[in-house]
Amino acid sequence: MKITDKITALSGVAAKRAALYNKLGIENVGDLIAHYPKDYIDYSETVKIADAPVNEQSVIKGFVTQKIPAARIRQGLVIYKVIVDDGSDSLTVVLYNNRFAYEALEKDKEYRLFGRVTGGFTRKEMNTPQIIPAEETRLIRPKYSLTEGLTAQMVITNMTEALRSVSEQIEEFIPDEIRQRYELCTEEYACRNIHFPESSHAAEISRRRLGFDELLMIQCAMGMMRAGRKEAAGCPMKMKDIAEFEASLPFELTGAQRKACREIFSDMCGQTPMNRLVQGDVGSGKTAVAAAACWLAAENGCQSALMAPTEILARQHYATLKSFLEPLGINVGCLTGSMTAKQKNEIKAQLLSGEINVITGTHALISESTEFKRLGLVITDEQHRFGVNQRKLFAMKGEKPHKLVMSATPIPRTLSLIIYGDLDISIINELPKGRQPVETYAVTGKLRSRALGFVKKELDAGRQGYIVCPMIEESDGAGELQAAKAYAERIAEGELKGYSIGLLHGKMLPAEKDAVMADFKDGKIQLLVSTTVIEVGVDVPNATVIMIESSDRFGLSQLHQLRGRVGRGKYKSSCILITDNATEETRARLRIMSSLHDGFAIAEEDLKIRGGGDFFGSRQSGLPPLKIADLYNDRELLGDTSQAAKELFAASPDLSEYPKLKEKALALLNENGSEGMN
Ligand code: ADP
Ligand code: MG
């Protein structure tokens, strides 16, 4: 048998069972071996039948005292029962249609059984347990994820045969020196012991090895992507002194902004296209950094495109870039979906002629059919987590422009190693001078009136504010819209009577949203009530208070984003988190918001609370799904693998010295193609 043979090469696997395996993504024998247990049953931890908790899974150890003759209940259903006694009590073991298991059980012999004990008041029963003879010495057995029709026992039997037949074919692909330095067991040992460990220690070192493989492969794949991008830049540029640009700004750049600009400028003047991510906390001034990059491009006769996730942001960036760049003789344009066809065509013509130097717009508009005279720089402003779209951007071919992504969500440093392994990163970890941390209070709904009273005081002082409406369960936005409207009307009639209140929600047309935002920016609207689609990234320095309903439903990083709408100017600002869920856990989580103001620190906490699996949500990261490693619990392994990857690339920049490793990394890249890591 070969490791690449179809799963049907295993005995007992015909078309029907193969189809079940296919459902789990298992096609061949090698795939089966890579179907790692999700946990183990430890048969050494037995409980007395008399003490076994009802409706919970337990391991019991007892003698078969009686085998009850098979009962045919109906066509296709035969029930086999045996009585097992351990001296404390006895229970009935029930096996459905499993003559094989029934016949294997011998009377007066002792077994260990794992299963759910039922029947608190009646006779105790255990249905379809997993059973091993008591004299068995390997007491740690795998638990697999299964699918309807595929039992644990089937997988165990097939796995045993697969490992017996092909384990010699399992190749070592990690070079010896790396294996020794990082104290890794062999691949073959790991593959056998992850399934049927000799001891819990064996299971642990196998898991570490396989997790190492997984994280190392991702980093090697990213390293190869990075190496593959070493084509010549379409637009190499000449360095300029940033002071010239800074002179036109209404403020001085912060040290962190200057450092990011230096890194970007140096990339843009290099031989290969820039692939850089700017990670900056909310309000750290990423737009000014983007403007600096556009300025350098324009000074070098190249055009720049700045793409935003929403129209409101595209327009805001347009206004900002215009104010920074037009005094320097740079022509800024904007392209949005709500423009008429005629207007769009006009802008597009100016892009083609080169009349417009810098264009802002939404992702779709700029990437679609727009042609440039000489596009040298593409920037995306990403308000959400870095994801698949951005990786697509980096894979973008054509004129080989320099690429820059600005991410507003700090990612814990440990994770950025793997998430952004293919990119260079600049971090803006400093806020402009004079910013005061936003005072944050978490209160229950009982204090809502007082909170609104506080909002009112801010409005009376000439400031502005936001209220984020309660989240409601329905997925369709209509209900949410109703709720937001009702909420806005209620406060307009009640606590905030006489103030000008605007409403922003996801069902509005872009032009309508723009109009509301424009009125808010101009101060015509004092208080903006918004559904959860609030446009993060919106910059209105006069806004000093944000009140967030259902705050317990948000992740900490999200709350930090929302809170970042205030505290953007010279005024002291506040954030009021309202929750009707007063559990200690919720309160503890929200208290973190009161004490932490640094997005990176908050992201660490968020990761701690939610764990690696949930941190990114629906595969937002653009990474292949992890089978065995966990980005939170395996932080140490992450560090080790990133170090190992560095060593490998240092020794062999295209990994050609390590052909087996290279082959695996390439396979990962191809598998994940444009959807995944590209
Ligand atoms: P973000 O990083 O969240 O996108 P913005 O680019 O919107 O932040 O900047 C936030 C606010 O800070 C804007 O009003 C901007 O004009 C201002 N700002 C940016 N850099 C500085 C600076 N160095 N000094 C003072 N204010 C600044
Ligand atoms: Mg921004």
Side-chain angles (χ1 to χ4, degrees):
M1 191 186 302
K2 287 220 282 299
I3 201 161
T4 49
D5 281 352
K6 283 253 166 320
I7 191 84
T8 45
L10 295 164
S11 44
V13 185
K16 189 168 150 230
R17 195 182 297 179
L20 297 176
Y21 274 126
N22 293 167
K23 265 196 195 165
L24 297 172
I26 298 167
E27 306 277 341
N28 64 30
V29 178
D31 296 339
L32 180 65
I33 292 175
H35 187 60
Y36 306 128
K38 58 182 191 331
D39 199 358
Y40 297 93
I41 301 167
D42 185 348
Y43 281 97
S44 66
E45 291 187 0
T46 57
V47 298
K48 291 274 173 227
I49 294 175
D51 304 335
V54 173
N55 287 327
E56 279 178 35
Q57 293 188 317
S58 303
V59 177
I60 58 142
K61 185 181 173 196
F63 289 89
V64 171
T65 53
Q66 196 187 340
K67 291 182 78 172
I68 298 168
R72 176 174 300 274
I73 301 299
R74 55 178 159 79
Q75 181 71 23
L77 179 62
V78 185
I79 292 190
Y80 301 90
K81 290 184 177 176
V82 303
I83 308 295
V84 172
D85 195 312
D86 71 351
S88 76
D89 199 353
S90 71
L91 57 66
T92 308
V93 171
V94 187
L95 303 164
Y96 299 95
N97 286 340
N98 197 342
R99 189 170 61 116
F100 177 78
Y102 176 74
E103 284 176 356
L105 292 170
E106 290 173 38
K107 188 160 177 289
D108 299 327
K109 206 178 145 182
E110 198 179 16
Y111 295 91
R112 291 176 197 262
L113 299 94
F114 169 80
R116 195 179 301 281
V117 176
T118 57
F121 300 109
T122 56
R123 247 196 94 63
K124 286 187 175 159
E125 278 193 5
M126 197 183 250
N127 285 342
T128 55
Q130 291 182 57
I131 306 171
I132 61 171
E135 72 265 18
E136 187 67 62
T137 52
R138 286 203 172 199
L139 294 179
I140 300 173
R141 295 300 180 101
K143 256 192 204 171
Y144 293 106
S145 44
L146 303 166
T147 182
E148 174 95 43
L150 191 69
T151 66
Q153 195 53 52
M154 289 175 192
V155 179
I156 287 175
T157 308
N158 296 145
M159 193 70 78
T160 308
E161 186 192 349
L163 286 169
R164 187 161 20 85
S165 318
V166 305
S167 64
E168 271 151 34
Q169 297 166 38
I170 296 174
E171 282 187 319
E172 185 51 70
F173 61 94
I174 294 195
D176 279 350
E177 66 268 20
I178 296 281
R179 219 160 52 70
Q180 275 156 19
R181 187 161 328 136
Y182 294 95
E183 298 179 333
L184 302 169
C185 66
T186 66
E187 181 75 2
E188 190 259 349
Y189 179 91
C191 286
R192 278 189 297 111
N193 280 276
I194 194 77
H195 294 289
F196 305 113
E198 289 160 0
S199 60
S200 51
H201 175 68
E204 193 35 54
I205 62 176
S206 301
R207 210 193 77 81
R208 176 164 180 273
R209 165 66 210 252
L210 297 171
F212 191 98
D213 288 358
E214 193 166 51
L215 297 175
L216 180 68
M217 277 313 113
I218 294 178
Q219 307 200 50
C220 284
M222 290 202 167
M224 298 195 44
M225 273 166 66
R226 184 198 277 264
R229 290 207 201 94
K230 295 279 180 250
E231 358 82 314
C235 312
M237 302 188 183
K238 277 220 188 65
M239 189 58 89
K240 302 268 305 184
D241 186 353
I242 187 144
E244 263 181 70
F245 164 75
E246 208 175 337
S248 86
L249 292 179
F251 44 72
E252 250 181 54
L253 292 175
T254 63
Q257 281 172 318
R258 272 202 203 114
K259 179 158 179 281
C261 288
R262 265 204 306 279
E263 289 163 346
I264 290 166
F265 281 19
S266 136
D267 281 0
M268 288 170 66
C269 297
Q271 294 304 307
T272 58
M274 166 166 73
N275 287 294
R276 185 171 286 277
L277 175 82
V278 174
Q279 265 198 288
D281 209 343
V282 275
S284 62
K286 292 182 288 292
T287 320
V289 171
C294 294
W295 170 75
L296 184 67
E299 289 289 312
N300 279 279
C302 293
Q303 291 167 300
S304 306
L306 171 56
M307 310 199 272
T310 64
E311 285 216 32
I312 291 181
L313 284 178
R315 297 203 151 275
Q316 178 180 295
H317 285 327
Y318 170 63
T320 309
L321 292 193
K322 211 168 138 104
S323 74
F324 291 168
L325 296 173
E326 275 195 353
L328 296 162
I330 295 170
N331 210 353
V332 184
C334 186
L335 192 57
T336 69
S338 54
M339 291 164 77
T340 64
K342 186 161 165 260
Q343 289 170 318
K344 281 186 208 164
N345 287 336
E346 221 163 89
I347 298 285
K348 286 186 179 180
Q350 291 178 350
L351 282 171
L352 192 56
S353 71
E355 211 171 315
I356 291 181
N357 309 105
V358 177
I359 184 83
T360 66
T362 50
H363 292 192
L365 275 164
I366 297 182
S367 45
E368 263 166 25
S369 60
T370 314
E371 284 180 83
F372 291 83
K373 180 163 185 235
R374 188 158 184 244
L375 180 63
L377 171 67
V378 178
I379 306 175
T380 55
D381 185 16
E382 200 39 59
Q383 300 306 330
H384 301 288
R385 293 212 161 89
F386 188 83
V388 174
N389 282 335
Q390 286 61 59
R391 295 230 184 268
K392 280 197 178 134
L393 167 78
F394 284 108
M396 200 166 95
K397 296 274 164 2
E399 309 187 43
K400 297 176 195 149
H402 296 290
K403 293 165 219 146
L404 187 67
V405 169
M406 303 193 292
S407 164
T409 314
I411 298 269
R413 253 169 278 276
T414 42
L415 290 192
S416 56
L417 286 177
I418 191 154
I419 307 300
Y420 306 134
D422 55 335
L423 304 177
D424 299 308
I425 304 179
S426 295
I427 289 180
I428 311 185
N429 54 1
E430 179 186 353
L431 296 180
K433 265 201 268 342
R435 293 279 173 81
Q436 307 167 53
V438 177
E439 283 289 347
T440 304
Y441 313 90
V443 301
T444 66
K446 285 195 205 113
L447 294 181
R448 185 172 287 112
S449 274
R450 266 179 61 187
L452 285 168
F454 181 83
V455 170
K456 188 170 158 180
K457 262 190 13 215
E458 289 294 301
L459 303 187
D460 287 340
R463 304 285 80 78
Q464 290 166 280
Y466 301 90
I467 294 184
V468 178
C469 276
M471 273 202 200
I472 53 175
E473 292 295 348
E474 296 167 58
S475 53
D476 126 51
E480 197 147 86
L481 169 55
Q482 280 313 317
K485 266 195 180 145
Y487 191 100
E489 276 161 21
R490 207 163 51 239
I491 56 173
E493 289 306 309
E495 285 92 341
L496 294 171
K497 202 174 168 119
Y499 294 84
S500 90
I501 297 174
L503 180 65
L504 195 67
H505 57 80
K507 295 257 148 146
M508 285 163 86
L509 294 174
E512 295 172 330
K513 282 190 196 170
D514 270 357
V516 171
M517 274 322 294
D519 284 349
F520 187 59
K521 279 201 158 189
D522 294 346
K524 286 185 206 143
I525 290 175
Q526 293 172 284
L527 179 72
L528 192 61
V529 174
S530 159
T531 57
T532 53
V533 299
I534 189 173
E535 307 291 336
V536 297
V538 164
D539 183 40
V540 178
N542 190 45
T544 54
V545 60
I546 183 165
M547 181 167 140
I548 304 172
E549 293 278 358
S550 315
S551 55
D552 49 297
R553 307 262 202 97
F554 294 91
L556 294 182
S557 293
Q558 253 176 313
L559 287 176
H560 181 62
Q561 279 294 320
L562 289 171
R563 175 169 68 181
R565 292 317 105 217
V566 299
R568 298 174 83 84
K570 54 182 184 286
Y571 307 107
K572 174 117 209 82
S573 298
S574 317
C575 169
I576 307 167
L577 304 173
I578 300 208
T579 171
D580 289 314
N581 172 346
T583 62
E584 182 47 37
E585 195 194 331
T586 304
R587 299 228 308 268
R589 216 165 64 86
L590 293 178
R591 268 201 301 272
I592 293 174
M593 295 303 296
S594 314
S595 56
L596 289 183
H597 293 88
D598 166 9
F600 285 96
I602 288 171
E604 293 283 355
E605 286 298 324
D606 212 11
L607 178 64
K608 210 182 283 172
I609 291 169
R610 292 204 269 172
D614 287 341
F615 186 76
F616 290 104
S618 53
R619 295 224 188 128
Q620 266 286 324
S621 65
L623 291 177
L626 295 173
K627 268 191 186 159
I628 197 158
D630 176 273
L631 291 178
Y632 182 68
N633 294 311
D634 293 320
R635 288 173 307 236
E636 206 173 308
L637 211 49
L638 200 51
D640 286 352
T641 51
S642 113
Q643 183 58 33
K646 271 201 200 114
E647 289 162 12
L648 290 165
F649 279 102
S652 173
D654 62 350
L655 296 186
S656 56
E657 302 269 327
Y658 313 108
K660 286 178 197 155
L661 187 95
K662 181 171 181 171
E663 191 187 321
K664 276 199 179 246
L666 279 176
L668 186 63
L669 277 182
N670 291 336
E671 243 170 66
N672 286 281
S674 55
E675 296 310 308
M677 304 186 49
N678 253 322

